[in-house]
């Protein structure tokens, strides 16, 4: 167990901080990476399909595929030279505020970052840290316990003012970091409530805004020391204890509130011997009062003692009132031990702690005694803050007989987890999605509230690193009831993925005391919107009283040059403005523009002049036009002459300015309200500036609006735009970026704050993702001169899968986005086809579902009616101008059912008629389509049993208007097809031949027979999902899939053997394989030709890198190639498709041995022939030169010879006569 002490940094920490403040002369090195030098010339047009919102080439080492987070964590964000955004330092929770800390000498010490995080850049940092933009180094600023909501860096005084909901040093909710010295208390020691905003007024004074009614050093609770620390659950031990029966158990004095002596109620030491009494607890606490009951057993008693706190092993300073003189006295570690009276009429004696220090154990050391030895009759510890623990035994002890003690009620299979590095033990439960929906687990906290007043209520969440549960942690839903008859507060999400202990304020306001009819409660349950198994934790809830007041009301002006505090608040126009507001004002935002200060929040002027926003001008609080805004303001942002305002308002107070729906702009020059379109539907939480390339090569500052809204409202000719809490207003265009017909990068997520840094890019905070291809969703083109990704000109939005039928049969993954594509060029017909599960907008404005066509002019169109919108296209092929589109397709065309496959006439832009008879079977899916070379036969493969009335499982052939079954004995689900020459087809998947399971099978079209490929049943570890040739004949090929253990595999088949390739992470899913040519050879190896590389697409996990959507493999190393994101996670790529196929010969690849032998033989025969011909020609020339004449071609003159006319019988008639020679 570890507790955080609330004091300034120790010397060693200051050394680190001083080192941080030494400026660096070198900026962050954005390291470029060497892209693969691919040559796509022979492929013609090339494109990629997948499921992504944004995509880019991997060009800098700082790039990752990390998308914006939805688990409550954020990051410091910077922009790479290629325009992509990357996380400079991840946090495990929200980042709320930043400012550059520039010293008086002009040097940048770093950027101060505040929030409710517990780690930043994987460094433990409780709510505040310093970030060095030149080195990306994180330095925590330890000493605060809680969350930081506002920081202001004041160069003139070398001071950072920090505000929030925390305790630190001797201050609450506000403190200062001064130069290189560390934390310093402000003269007023903070506030009695949270601080939300800090700024510097035109007069140089610092303005604090928040939910407070008094200063830290002028107010105190009406009733202190309200809650007992539960010692009954502690491990009690002692030293030098008497051996007298009945007096030797140190537990005797726990839960005892009287000074009655006797066996079983008194604990004694050995005679005339010093000793100790110790308690080790299962939780941390900050005691404010110690109450001791002295013993008088046989004249014994404790005379002097000291109190030691653990784990800091420090002797605590205590104050007490002398029982005789009534004067306040001090006993401390310097030697003045604390005295305990032996007056029998004094039931107990109270000692107050001079400093508030966290501890989880303590020891009472008794050094002197009355009579024969020391001892005690009772002990109690108290604290100001009120806690209710999830573990019931840690709450207030019932033996002390409080009327309504703090308690908790856990429901469900919770187990107790050790405290580890947290401040107390806590409850843990593992929940399935079904258990989440059924609300099986909950914890109800009920604190011991003794007095009515204002309280700050905080939920404590233990860190996930200690119990190794970060990947399983989920989202808690918290609600509470705080006043009798009051409504519960709205449900609040608490993300539990924090690395270290986190503190989330869920409420600040009035709380009624406990009674027989009412108890304040806080209820923690899992958020029911989670659809995966999670781990939920519950630890404790704190109620901190803030109801005391000294006249302030949410705003305070501080003059740093004054040595003492002024308590006459009427002399400050800001303080007076707060006092003129109705009670319990909440200030959320402060800003200065044009020499005028602006204040926003949930506030109302008592004189009815304004609501929720006002300005301070010439020493007076002034209403903005139209009486301000009609509901709470949550955020300010100044840019140019405008003050941008966000919140949950809908108009001005008098309702005279339309379009101010949750966001507005106030022109500080013309002093008028300006609408941003018609606003957004839902609350705006933050407004953050962002530089974007809106016009070509021209950066301009845009205004991002972030919050809980789901659409940009329609205005003018601009339609309603659905969004996820993020909009970008372009001031120069007076429109939302989402409405502009421009090509700029896609950005998703939310921003929380930003700050400018001299000579550096602005530093952002939040959770956003952006990759570098403007307007590209789910499909992009790829070029090699230069190497680049570009939009195909069709904007695609993935659909949600609504049926288990919409899964790829082999891998079982849900399909969204673009899956398949092809280029079709035939004469003047030039069409690009994209298929998958998506919606898109056609050039005529109509909606396209799942299959899109892009013609040669760039016009985008879709299918006509007839197919179900839930259809998913997984495979495409063409024969002549007919498109064969397969997948999990259903519908009805021309009164005929369609299932698995549809034909479309690309030349006529219409469905082909008649359609093939529908495929049949359970969960019909077509995964692959290929046309047999030099034929009209189209082979269709997937998961089906019949084609029309024909039994045709797994693979079926369509030709001349009818189905045919190729071979027999094949069954199962086929995912990929590949031709090996003109007559042999290779099929991969999860298949069987005549009942024998395998993963790869050959079909011989001449023999009409299926055979398993070699030892694929044992050598290939699971179903095949992808194939690609490794040579022209495809006798060598690459194969990928998913092993039966869930991991991905990649193999090369060559020389009748499978060669395994390792190096991919277990979470990899390979969807496509392609061989590409290179301009420059890589090192020689046996797997990949030197002039080529293997492209792997899918959802890849590369060890020592992370996730990638595509990688290249040179036979030795996997290199990230393309990164993408989708929604709040990594994206994926399905496949590469091209206009032409790769030619391995022209790529410099090695030919098969048989071809090499044949070519060598042909060369030898050719050389021999040439030599013979040359010899004949030489000989003829020699003879002519020597006077030779050609011999006659006949022995007889054809004019006189009868040779040609001799009958045959005259020649051969007598051959059979014996004894006679032939007669001529």
């Amino acid at each position: 167990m570890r507790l955080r002490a609330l004091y300034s940094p120790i010397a060693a920490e200051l050394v680190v901080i001083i080192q941080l403040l030494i400026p660096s002369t070198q900026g962050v090195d954005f390291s470029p990476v060497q892209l693969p030098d691919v040559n796509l010339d022979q492929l013609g047009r090339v494109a990629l399909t997948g499921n992504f919102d944004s995509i880019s080439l991997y060009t800098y080492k700082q790039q990752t595929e990390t998308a914006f987070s939805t688990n409550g964590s954020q990051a410091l964000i910077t922009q790479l030279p290629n325009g992509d955004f990357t996380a400079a330092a991840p946090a495990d929770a929200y980042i709320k505020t930043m400012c550059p800390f520039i010293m008086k000498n002009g040097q940048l010490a770093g950027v101060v970052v505040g929030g409710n995080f517990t780690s930043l850049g994987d460094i433990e940092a409780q709510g505040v840290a310093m970030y060095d933009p030149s080195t990306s180094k994180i330095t925590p600023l330890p000493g605060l316990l809680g969350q930081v909501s506002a920081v202001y860096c004041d160069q003139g005084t070398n001071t950072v003012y920090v505000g929030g909901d925390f305790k630190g040093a001797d201050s609450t909710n506000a403190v200062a970091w001064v130069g290189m010295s560390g934390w310093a208390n402000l003269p007023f020691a903070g506030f009695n409530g949270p601080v939300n905003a800090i700024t510097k007024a035109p007069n140089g004074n610092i303005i604090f805004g928040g939910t407070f009614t008094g200063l830290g050093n002028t107010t105190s609770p009406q009733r202190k020391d309200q809650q007992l620390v539960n010692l009954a659950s502690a491990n009690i031990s002692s030293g030098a204890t008497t051996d007298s029966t009945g007096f030797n158990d140190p537990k005797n004095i726990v839960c005892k509130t009287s000074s009655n002596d006797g066996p079983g109620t008194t604990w004694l030491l050995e005679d005339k011997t010093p000793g100790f009494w110790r308690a080790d607890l299962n939780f941390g606490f900050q005691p404010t009062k110690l109450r001791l009951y002295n013993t008088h057993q046989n004249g014994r008693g404790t005379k002097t003692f000291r109190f030691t706190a653990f784990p800091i092993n420090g002797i605590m300073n205590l104050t007490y009132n002398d029982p005789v003189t009534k004067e306040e006295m001090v006993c401390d570690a310097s030697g003045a031990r604390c005295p305990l009276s032996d007056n029998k009429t004094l039931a107990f004696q109270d000692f107050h702690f001079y400093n508030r220090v966290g501890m989880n154990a303590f020891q009472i050391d008794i050094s002197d005694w009355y009579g024969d030895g020391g001892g005690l009759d009772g002990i109690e510890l108290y604290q100001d803050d009120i806690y209710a623990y999830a573990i019931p035994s840690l709450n207030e002890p019932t033996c002390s007989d409080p009327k309504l003690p703090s308690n908790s009620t856990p429901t469900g299979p919770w187990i107790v987890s050790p405290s580890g590095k947290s401040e107390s033990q806590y409850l843990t439960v593992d929940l399935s999605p079904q258990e989440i929906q059924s609300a099986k687990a909950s914890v109800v906290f009920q604190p011991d509230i003794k007095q009515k007043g204002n309280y700050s209520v905080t939920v404590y969440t233990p860190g996930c690193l200690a119990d190794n549960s970060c990947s399983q942690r989920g989202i808690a839903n918290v609600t509470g009831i705080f006043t009798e008859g009051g409504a519960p507060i709205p449900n609040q999400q608490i993300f539990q993925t924090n690395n270290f202990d986190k503190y989330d304020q869920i409420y600040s306001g009035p709380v009624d005391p406990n009674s027989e009819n009412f108890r304040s409660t806080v209820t923690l349950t899992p958020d029911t919107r989670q659809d995966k198994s999670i781990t939920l934790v519950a630890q404790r809830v704190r109620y901190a009283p803030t109801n005391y007041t000294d006249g302030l009301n949410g705003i305070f002006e501080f003059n740093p040059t004054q040595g003492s505090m002024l308590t006459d608040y009427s002399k400050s126009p800001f303080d007076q403005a707060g006092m003129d507001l109705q009670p319990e004002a909440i200030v959320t935002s402060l800003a200065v523009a044009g020499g005028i200060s602006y204040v926003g929040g949930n506030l109302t002027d008592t004189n009815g002049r304004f609501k929720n926003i006002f300005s301070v001008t010439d020493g007076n609080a002034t209403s903005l036009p139209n009486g301000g805004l009609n509901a709470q303001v949550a955020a300010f942002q100044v840019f140019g002459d405008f003050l941008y305002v966000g919140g949950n308002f809908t108009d001005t107070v008098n309702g005279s300015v339309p379009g101010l729906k949750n966001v507005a702009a106030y022109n500080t020059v013309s002093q008028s309200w300006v609408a941003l379109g018609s606003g957004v539907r839902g609350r705006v939480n933050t407004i953050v500036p962002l530089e974007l390339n809106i016009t070509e090569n021209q950066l301009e500052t845009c205004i991002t609006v972030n919050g809980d809204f789901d659409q940009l409202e329609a205005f003018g000719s601009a339609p309603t735009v659905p969004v996820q809490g993020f909009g970008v207003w372009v001031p120069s265009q007076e429109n939302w970026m989402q409405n502009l017909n421009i090509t700029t990068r896609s950005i998703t997520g939310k921003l929380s704050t930003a700050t400018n840094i001299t000579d550096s890019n602005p530093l952002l905070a939040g959770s956003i993702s952006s990759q570098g291809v403007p307007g590209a969703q789910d499909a992009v083109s790829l070029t090699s001169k230069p190497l680049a990704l570009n939009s195909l000109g069709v904007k695609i939005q993935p659909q949600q899968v609504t049926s288990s039928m919409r899964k790829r049969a082999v891998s079982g993954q849900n399909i969204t986005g673009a899956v398949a594509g092809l280029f079709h060029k035939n004469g003047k017909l030039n069409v690009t086809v994209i298929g998958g599960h998506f919606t898109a907008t056609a050039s005529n404005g109509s909606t396209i579902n799942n299959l899109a066509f892009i013609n040669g002019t760039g016009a985008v169109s879709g299918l006509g009616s007839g197919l179900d919108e839930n259809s998913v296209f997984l495979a495409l092929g063409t024969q002549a101008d007919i498109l064969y589109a397969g997948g999990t397709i259903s519908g009805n065309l021309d009164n005929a059912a369609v299932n698995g496959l549809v034909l479309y006439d690309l030349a006529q832009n219409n469905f082909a008629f008649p359609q093939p008879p529908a495929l049949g079977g359970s969960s019909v899916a077509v995964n692959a389509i290929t046309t047999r070379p030099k034929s009209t036969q189209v082979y269709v493969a997937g998961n089906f049993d019949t084609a029309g009335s024909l039994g045709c499982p797994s693979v079926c052939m369509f030709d001349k208007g009818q189905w045919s079954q190729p071979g027999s004995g094949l069954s199962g689900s086929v995912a990929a097809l590949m031709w090996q020459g003109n007559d042999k087809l290779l099929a991969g998947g999860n298949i069987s031949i005549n009942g024998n399971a395998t993963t790869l099978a050959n079909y011989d079209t001449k023999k009409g027979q299926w055979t398993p490929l070699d030892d694929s049943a044992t050598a290939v570890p699971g179903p095949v999902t992808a194939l690609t040739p490794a040579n022209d004949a495809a006798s060598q090929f690459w194969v990928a899939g998913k092993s039966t253990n869930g991991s991905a595999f990649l193999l090369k088949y060559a020389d009748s053997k499978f060669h395994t390739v390792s190096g991919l992470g277990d979470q990899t899913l390979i969807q496509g394989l392609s061989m590409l040519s290179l301009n420059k050879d890589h090192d020689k190896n046996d797997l990949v030709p030197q002039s080529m590389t293997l492209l792997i697409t899918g959802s890849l996990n590369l060890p020592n890198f992370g996730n990638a959507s595509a990688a290249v493999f040179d036979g030795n190393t996997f290199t990230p190639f393309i990164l993408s994101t989708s929604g709040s996670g990594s994206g994926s790529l399905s496949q590469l498709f091209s206009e032409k196929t790769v030619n391995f010969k022209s790529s410099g690849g090695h030919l098969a041995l048989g071809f090499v032998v044949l070519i060598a033989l042909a060369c030898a025969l050719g050389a021999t022939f040439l030599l013979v011909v040359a010899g004949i020609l030489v000989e003829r020339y020699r003879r002519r030169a020597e006077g030779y004449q050609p011999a006659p071609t006949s022995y007889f003159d054809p004019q006189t010879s009868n040779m040609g006319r001799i009958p045959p019988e005259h020649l051969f008639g007598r051959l059979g006569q014996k004894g006679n020679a032939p007669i001529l």
Side-chain angles (χ1 to χ4, degrees):
M1 183 185 296
R2 181 182 59 187
L3 295 165
R4 297 166 179 81
L6 303 179
Y7 44 76
S8 297
I10 60 175
E13 292 167 331
L14 286 176
V15 170
V16 174
I17 294 164
I18 290 170
Q19 290 174 346
L20 168 72
L21 296 178
I22 299 174
S24 172
T25 58
Q26 183 177 2
V28 176
D29 180 21
F30 294 118
S31 307
V33 297
Q34 183 65 46
L35 289 169
D37 191 10
V38 298
N39 185 337
L40 306 177
D41 292 348
Q42 62 174 295
L43 297 179
R45 291 176 294 168
V46 179
L48 296 151
T49 58
N51 180 21
F52 52 86
D53 299 327
S54 54
I55 188 169
S56 69
L57 296 170
Y58 175 59
T59 54
Y60 288 90
K61 290 183 179 179
Q62 289 78 10
Q63 280 179 269
T64 67
E65 205 171 69
T66 303
F68 74 90
S69 169
T70 59
N71 68 356
S73 61
Q74 296 184 334
L76 295 178
I77 300 166
T78 189
Q79 202 164 13
L80 295 171
N82 66 356
D84 288 353
F85 294 98
T86 186
D92 63 350
Y94 293 118
I95 297 172
K96 297 186 174 183
T97 181
M98 296 189 295
C99 67
F101 187 20
I102 301 174
M103 309 292 283
K104 285 183 177 180
N105 59 10
Q107 293 180 328
L108 177 67
V111 177
V112 180
V113 182
N116 72 336
F117 50 83
T118 67
S119 69
L120 184 64
D122 297 324
I123 302 295
E124 182 176 3
Q126 183 60 60
V128 63
M130 195 91 76
Y131 170 74
D132 186 342
S134 64
T135 64
S136 297
K137 181 181 179 181
I138 301 293
T139 299
L141 307 181
L144 303 187
L145 189 66
Q147 66 182 31
V148 172
S149 301
V151 294
Y152 183 84
C153 296
D154 186 20
Q155 181 178 0
T157 60
N158 265 6
T159 301
V160 181
Y161 295 94
V162 180
D165 184 15
F166 57 78
K167 296 179 180 179
D170 292 323
S171 295
T172 57
N173 303 321
V175 72
W177 181 274
V178 180
M180 295 184 291
S181 301
W183 295 115
N185 292 311
L186 293 167
F188 50 89
F191 301 93
N192 66 353
V195 171
N196 300 321
I198 307 173
T199 194
K200 190 173 186 177
N203 64 4
N205 290 346
I206 304 300
I207 311 301
F208 295 86
T211 310
F212 50 79
T213 58
L215 300 176
N217 62 1
T218 60
T219 58
S220 61
Q222 295 173 3
R223 296 174 61 182
K224 302 176 71 173
D225 316 321
Q226 292 190 67
Q227 187 168 44
L228 272 170
V229 177
N230 189 347
L231 301 180
S233 63
N235 179 27
I236 306 299
S237 59
S238 62
T241 299
T242 182
D243 56 6
S244 298
T245 302
F247 299 96
N248 58 355
D249 188 351
K251 295 180 181 178
N252 287 349
I253 65 174
V254 176
C255 278
K256 183 164 177 286
T257 57
S258 70
S259 57
N260 295 330
D261 296 314
T265 63
T266 299
W267 166 74
L268 297 177
L269 289 173
E270 295 177 2
D271 291 350
K272 302 188 183 301
T273 304
F276 69 86
W277 186 96
R278 175 168 174 148
D280 290 86
L281 292 83
N282 294 314
F283 56 91
F285 56 95
Q286 291 181 349
T288 56
K289 183 176 72 175
L290 169 68
R291 175 171 290 177
L292 291 178
Y293 298 78
N294 208 351
T295 183
H296 307 286
Q297 179 72 27
N298 298 328
R300 291 171 174 260
T302 296
K303 181 181 289 187
T304 60
F305 73 93
R306 68 183 182 188
F307 185 103
T308 304
F310 298 98
I312 66 171
N313 195 27
I315 300 172
M316 302 302 297
N317 300 329
L318 304 176
T319 65
Y320 65 97
N321 290 326
D322 187 282
V324 178
T325 67
K326 308 301 181 184
E327 293 182 4
E328 185 177 73
M329 307 295 288
V330 177
C331 49
D332 54 39
S334 63
R337 293 181 179 257
C338 299
L340 201 59
S341 173
D342 66 343
N343 187 343
K344 292 184 179 181
T345 64
L346 195 63
F348 56 82
Q349 195 167 344
D350 287 342
F351 298 83
H352 290 273
F353 290 82
Y354 190 81
N355 300 104
R356 295 188 60 166
V357 174
M359 61 190 75
N360 58 24
F362 68 92
Q363 183 169 298
I364 304 292
D365 292 292
I366 299 173
S367 55
D368 200 0
W369 49 87
Y370 299 104
D372 291 333
L376 292 171
D377 273 352
I379 182 172
E380 290 178 317
L381 270 181
Y382 293 83
Q383 57 188 3
D384 278 350
D385 292 339
I386 302 165
Y387 290 93
Y389 289 85
I391 301 173
S393 63
L394 302 185
N395 286 306
E396 279 185 302
T398 56
C399 58
S400 62
D401 197 27
K403 291 182 179 180
L404 293 168
S406 62
N407 66 65
S408 62
T409 306
T411 301
W414 297 92
I415 60 172
V416 176
S417 293
S419 58
K421 293 185 177 182
S422 184
E423 295 185 359
S424 76
Q425 293 177 328
Y426 55 93
L427 295 180
T428 301
V429 64
D430 294 324
L431 298 172
S432 67
Q434 294 76 21
E435 291 172 325
I436 294 172
Q437 298 301 319
S438 64
K440 187 174 181 179
S442 67
V443 177
V444 178
F445 301 87
Q446 291 186 314
D448 182 4
I449 305 298
K450 293 183 174 68
Q451 69 175 13
K452 179 182 177 68
N454 287 342
Y455 291 80
S456 172
V457 181
T458 302
V459 174
Y460 286 62
T461 304
C464 61
L465 288 181
D467 61 9
N468 196 30
S469 65
C470 294
S471 60
Q472 291 82 40
R473 287 282 186 95
I475 306 171
N477 187 71
V478 176
T479 187
I481 299 176
F482 302 103
T483 57
E484 187 172 1
I489 63 170
N491 294 340
Q492 297 194 37
Q493 286 184 329
I494 293 183
F495 296 89
Q496 297 194 329
T497 51
N498 44 290
N499 291 336
F500 305 96
D501 284 7
K502 186 178 67 158
Y503 319 94
D504 289 287
Q505 183 192 61
I506 62 167
Y507 176 76
S508 180
V511 178
D512 286 342
N514 292 346
S515 67
E516 294 181 357
N517 300 320
F518 173 77
R519 292 203 68 171
S520 176
T521 61
V522 172
T523 302
L524 183 148
T525 60
D527 190 295
T528 56
R529 288 168 289 186
Q530 299 169 100
D531 57 0
K532 65 176 183 178
S533 296
I534 66 164
T535 295
L536 196 71
V537 295
Q539 188 179 59
R540 60 178 174 165
V541 174
R542 183 192 74 181
Y543 283 60
T546 63
N547 61 317
Y548 36 95
T549 180
D550 65 352
L552 292 178
N553 190 16
I555 189 167
F556 175 68
E557 180 179 7
F558 168 60
N559 186 344
T561 64
Q562 288 183 344
S564 61
M565 292 301 305
L566 294 178
T567 57
D568 185 359
Y569 300 140
S570 64
K571 294 183 178 180
S572 164
F574 291 93
D575 299 351
Q576 183 61 55
M579 291 188 290
D580 289 341
L581 300 174
Q582 292 183 3
E584 300 177 4
I586 300 174
V587 174
T588 61
S589 309
L590 297 169
V592 176
I596 299 175
S597 300
Y598 295 88
V599 181
N602 187 1
L603 45 89
T604 301
D605 179 53
T606 54
N607 298 316
R609 296 176 299 164
F610 53 78
K611 286 186 176 181
N612 302 309
I613 186 170
F614 66 92
S615 65
V616 178
T617 311
D618 299 327
N620 297 304
T622 306
S623 172
L624 269 61
N626 312 106
L629 298 168
N630 65 0
Q632 180 172 335
V633 168
F636 281 167
Q637 181 62 54
V638 176
F639 175 67
D641 295 332
F642 287 90
L643 172 68
Y644 292 89
V645 184
N648 60 351
F649 47 83
T650 58
D651 206 331
T652 59
V653 171
N654 63 17
S656 60
V657 184
L660 306 187
K661 194 171 182 181
N662 302 301
V663 65
Y666 178 70
N667 189 320
T668 60
V669 176
S670 65
Q671 298 184 9
S672 59
W673 290 104
V674 179
L676 275 62
S678 288
V680 300
R681 189 172 72 178
R683 176 186 172 92
V684 171
N685 297 324
T686 62
I687 300 177
V688 181
L690 179 66
E691 288 190 344
L692 291 174
N693 189 2
I694 299 300
T695 55
E696 188 172 358
N697 298 322
Q698 184 64 47
L699 285 174
E700 61 180 279
T701 300
C702 300
I703 304 299
T704 71
V705 179
N706 311 266
D708 303 317
F709 52 90
D710 60 4
Q711 71 179 29
L712 309 177
E713 300 288 17
F715 71 99
S717 61
T720 295
V721 179
V723 293
Q724 293 181 331
F726 183 76
V728 181
W729 180 257
V730 184
S732 65
Q733 305 292 322
E734 296 183 352
N735 206 335
W736 298 103
M737 185 181 73
Q738 288 88 336
N739 290 328
L740 301 178
N741 185 23
I742 58 175
T743 56
T744 188
R745 64 186 53 256
S746 170
I747 305 173
T748 55
K750 295 178 183 179
L751 292 172
S752 59
T753 186
T755 190
N756 289 319
I757 305 172
T758 304
D759 299 328
S760 183
N761 290 334
L763 185 64
L764 307 170
S767 181
I768 64 170
S769 63
S770 171
Q771 306 289 353
V773 182
Q777 287 83 26
D778 298 334
V780 291
S781 67
L782 175 66
T783 59
S784 58
K785 293 181 179 179
L787 186 61
L789 297 170
N790 298 285
S791 171
L792 284 175
V794 54
K795 187 174 183 180
I796 297 174
Q797 296 294 330
Q799 293 186 5
Q800 295 298 316
V801 177
T802 58
S803 170
S804 60
M805 296 281 288
R806 312 306 174 192
K807 292 185 176 182
R808 195 160 190 144
V810 171
S811 61
Q813 77 269 23
N814 288 324
I815 300 296
T816 60
V819 180
L822 63 79
F823 295 107
H824 179 73
K825 191 172 184 179
N826 186 14
K828 295 183 179 180
L829 187 61
N830 186 357
V831 183
T832 302
V833 186
I834 305 293
H837 192 55
F838 56 81
T839 60
T841 302
S843 297
N844 62 6
S846 62
T847 298
I848 297 170
N849 290 312
N850 309 317
L851 194 67
F853 306 100
I854 309 168
N855 67 18
T857 64
V860 180
S861 60
L863 296 171
S865 61
L867 299 184
D868 295 339
E869 290 185 4
N870 277 335
S871 294
V872 182
F873 290 91
L874 303 174
L876 303 173
T878 56
Q879 170 57 42
D881 289 334
I882 301 299
L883 171 71
Y884 289 71
T888 54
I889 303 166
S890 57
N892 192 288
L893 297 174
D894 197 24
N895 297 320
V898 173
N899 195 16
L901 181 73
V902 66
L903 271 58
Y904 189 84
D905 192 325
L906 296 173
Q908 300 300 319
N909 292 322
N910 204 350
F911 291 107
F913 291 102
Q915 290 286 315
L919 300 173
S922 176
S923 301
V924 170
V926 170
N927 298 323
I929 299 173
T930 183
T931 300
R932 182 182 177 185
K934 299 180 180 180
S935 80
T936 60
Q937 297 175 358
V938 178
Y939 284 73
V940 176
N943 185 68
F944 49 82
D945 298 323
T946 62
S949 60
L950 175 68
C952 196
S954 307
V955 176
C956 209
M957 188 267 287
F958 189 78
D959 188 26
K960 298 176 182 178
Q962 64 182 17
W963 289 107
S964 298
Q965 181 184 7
S968 62
L970 181 69
S971 61
S973 183
V974 174
L977 297 174
M978 184 182 73
W979 286 101
Q980 297 176 304
N982 297 335
D983 302 321
K984 289 188 178 181
L985 178 66
L986 180 66
N990 187 10
I991 54 181
S992 297
I993 298 178
N994 298 321
N996 297 314
T998 188
T999 56
L1000 291 165
N1002 279 122
Y1003 176 66
D1004 190 321
T1005 59
K1006 291 183 177 179
K1007 297 180 179 178
Q1009 190 175 56
W1010 286 100
T1011 55
L1013 178 68
D1014 295 341
D1015 58 346
S1016 59
T1018 56
V1020 180
V1024 170
T1025 59
L1027 293 168
T1028 196
N1031 60 6
D1032 278 324
S1035 58
Q1036 298 180 18
F1037 57 86
W1038 289 93
V1039 56
K1042 199 167 189 178
S1043 302
T1044 53
N1045 64 6
S1047 63
F1049 65 81
L1050 178 65
L1051 309 171
K1052 184 180 181 182
Y1053 181 80
D1055 302 326
S1056 300
K1057 292 186 294 186
F1058 287 97
H1059 305 271
T1060 302
V1061 176
S1062 60
L1064 294 172
D1066 290 340
Q1067 301 303 313
T1068 292
L1069 175 64
I1070 298 175
Q1071 294 177 262
L1073 300 171
S1074 302
M1075 292 293 292
L1076 301 178
S1077 300
L1078 296 174
N1079 289 314
K1080 183 179 179 181
D1081 289 358
H1082 57 70
D1083 293 340
K1084 187 176 182 180
N1085 61 77
D1086 295 332
L1087 290 174
V1088 180
Q1090 289 179 273
S1091 61
M1092 304 197 78
T1093 190
L1094 175 67
L1095 176 70
I1096 307 161
T1097 56
S1099 178
L1100 314 179
N1101 180 261
L1102 305 179
N1104 302 319
F1105 174 78
N1107 295 334
S1109 298
V1112 291
F1113 178 63
D1114 62 3
N1116 293 309
T1117 305
F1118 292 96
T1119 302
F1121 183 41
I1122 298 174
L1123 309 180
S1124 73
T1125 60
S1126 177
S1128 60
S1130 296
S1132 64
L1133 287 175
S1134 298
Q1135 63 173 232
L1136 177 145
F1137 65 95
S1138 58
E1139 203 170 19
K1140 304 173 185 177
T1141 59
V1142 66
N1143 186 323
F1144 289 86
K1145 292 178 182 178
S1146 64
S1147 302
H1150 300 292
L1151 293 174
L1153 180 61
F1155 287 106
V1156 173
V1157 172
L1158 290 175
I1159 291 172
L1161 179 60
C1163 291
L1165 291 174
T1168 303
F1169 174 76
L1170 291 175
L1171 288 172
V1172 171
V1173 171
I1176 292 173
L1177 292 175
V1178 169
E1179 181 63 17
R1180 287 174 63 91
Y1181 177 79
R1182 181 185 65 80
R1183 293 189 175 218
R1184 285 179 180 273
E1186 294 178 356
Y1188 283 90
Q1189 296 294 323
T1193 57
S1194 174
Y1195 291 103
F1196 306 97
D1197 185 346
Q1199 299 293 326
T1200 59
S1201 172
N1202 290 323
M1203 183 66 183
R1205 295 188 292 272
I1206 297 176
E1209 60 272 18
H1210 289 184
L1211 287 173
F1212 308 110
R1214 297 190 182 190
L1215 287 176
Q1217 296 179 5
K1218 296 180 179 180
N1220 297 315
I1223 300 173
L1224 296 179

